[in-house]
């Protein structure tokens, strides 16, 4: 498929899991793809090799999403290397766990920086370069809308911030024909949340379909939003969770 031919995408946190699946899917659909990572240079390069095997240009950029300047630099490096940016996917994430009496101020600041501030500054930097038809997608979480167990208030707060951000930015960029959307994964089989992990059976039990999702399930919805089929969807969210929030 080549519906993204001529487009350039940047996926944050693309070295593994959901981000890697998104990067490979966008390349399969014809885009050149840059991806950031925090520490896994070898794995990021492996994803780049997969992108190149699909016949597209790929680029791995070390950029800690907790560092706003590094996030902006990653956007600028993408434009410098590939000449443009059409698609930004704010995916990089962590999973802080702890009840309110356990979480430190440092964890609060780092989580908000990675999940909320990085999405803001990356979008701000990318929007400067985007033409009509540009696309911004952030990866939220079902926990932004429903929290069925304790220990995730910080995570839920940081992901809920993306709901307001997405709606507001859709209004800011609508007149330039740039869409802004959110994809909320439910339990998805990655290193962050393995389908054979200690909480997995409980999480599976919350779903209507009785199963975890795969990273490719999230990538498919992102691909729809950034492709021609997504042209009239903005300020919106798609929940890909096997029905856990139903
Ligand atoms: P993984 O832990 O499997 O992968 C995380 C990715 O983000 C890696 O590429 C990692 O890079 C990168 N990353 C982590 N911290 C930073 C940072 N500070 N700066 C830059 N990159 C960073 O997670 P998932 O693939 O499962 O999660 C992807 C997104 O989906 C996250 O936003 C997560 O919150 C969200 N999500 C996941 C769910 C799930 O069940 N898996 C459910 C709901 C939402 P490196 O390899 O270098 O460490």
């Amino acid at each position: 498929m080549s519906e993204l031919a001529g487009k350039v995408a940047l996926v944050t946190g693309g070295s593994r899991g959901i981000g890697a699946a998104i990067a490979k899917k966008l390349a399969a659909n014809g885009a050149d793809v840059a991806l950031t990572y925090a520490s896994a240079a070898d794995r990021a390069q492996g994803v780049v090799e997969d992108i190149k095997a699909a016949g597209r240009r790929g680029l791995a950029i070390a950029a800690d999403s907790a560092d706003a300047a590094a996030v902006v630099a990653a956007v600028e490096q993408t434009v410098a290397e590939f000449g443009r940016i059409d698609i930004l996917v704010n995916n990089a994430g962590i999973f802080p766990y702890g009840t309110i009496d356990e979480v430190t101020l440092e964890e609060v600041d780092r989580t908000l920086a990675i999940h909320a501030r990085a999405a803001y500054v990356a979008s701000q930097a990318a929007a400067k370069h985007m033409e009509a038809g540009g696309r911004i997608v952030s990866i939220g979480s079902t926990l932004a809308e429903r929290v069925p167990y304790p220990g995730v208030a910080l995570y839920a707060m940081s992901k809920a911030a993306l709901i307001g951000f997405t709606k507001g930015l859709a209004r800011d960029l609508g007149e330039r024909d740039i869409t802004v959307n959110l994809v909320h994964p439910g339990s998805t089989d990655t290193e962050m949340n393995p389908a054979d992990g200690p909480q997995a059976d409980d999480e599976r039990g919350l779903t209507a379909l009785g199963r975890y999702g795969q990273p490719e399930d999230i990538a498919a919805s992102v691909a729809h939003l950034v492709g021609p089929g997504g042209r009239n969807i903005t300020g919106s969210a798609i929940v890909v969770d096997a029905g856990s929030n139903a």
Side-chain angles (χ1 to χ4, degrees), residues 209-228:
L209 294 172
R211 63 177 179 237
Y212 262 54
Q214 294 300 317
E216 291 73 20
D217 295 320
I218 311 305
S221 285
V222 173
H224 175 65
L225 288 169
V226 306

Side-chain angles (χ1 to χ4, degrees), residues 10-246:
L10 171 62
V11 180
T12 67
S15 51
R16 55 194 164 90
I18 290 169
I22 294 168
K24 289 189 258 190
K25 178 67 176 173
L26 301 189
N29 287 5
D32 295 323
V33 184
L35 52 100
T36 69
Y37 62 94
S39 55
D42 50 343
R43 301 179 71 178
Q45 197 51 43
V47 177
V48 166
E49 295 310 320
D50 289 341
I51 291 166
K52 289 180 176 169
R56 307 313 319 164
R57 291 182 293 176
L59 174 67
I61 303 169
D64 182 351
S65 288
D67 177 349
V71 172
V72 172
V75 172
E76 296 302 334
Q77 189 177 341
T78 301
V79 175
E81 295 270 347
F82 293 158
R84 56 190 293 128
I85 184 166
D86 305 281
I87 298 163
L88 170 67
V89 183
N90 295 307
N91 165 81
I94 57 174
F95 192 72
Y97 185 83
T99 55
I100 196 152
D101 50 333
E102 297 167 334
V103 168
T104 65
L105 178 61
E106 192 178 38
E107 286 174 290
V108 173
D109 285 346
R110 182 167 173 79
T111 303
L112 291 173
I114 292 170
H115 289 168
R117 189 180 66 181
Y120 195 98
V121 298
S123 302
Q124 193 174 41
K128 285 184 189 150
H129 297 283
M130 280 182 178
E131 298 174 0
R135 302 277 200 266
I136 297 172
V137 178
S138 300
I139 304 302
S141 168
T142 49
L143 295 173
E145 297 187 325
R146 180 167 177 257
V147 184
Y149 44 81
V152 293
L154 172 58
Y155 182 84
M157 177 173 75
S158 68
K159 291 295 190 177
L162 295 171
I163 297 174
F165 170 62
T166 297
K167 293 178 181 185
L169 192 62
R171 293 287 184 184
D172 282 357
L173 298 180
E175 66 177 12
R176 292 173 50 195
D177 199 5
I178 295 170
T179 70
V180 188
N181 290 291
L182 192 50
V183 172
H184 289 307
S187 302
T188 305
D189 186 15
T190 67
E191 287 165 41
M192 180 184 283
N193 187 6
D196 59 359
Q199 309 300 328
D201 284 341
D202 289 344
E203 292 188 37
R204 240 186 310 273
L206 294 169
T207 68
L209 294 172
R211 63 177 179 237
Y212 262 54
Q214 294 300 317
E216 291 73 20
D217 295 320
I218 311 305
S221 285
V222 173
H224 175 65
L225 288 169
V226 306
R231 66 179 285 275
N232 225 28
I233 304 173
T234 197
S236 194
I238 298 179
V239 183
V240 186
D241 71 340
S244 65
N245 277 15

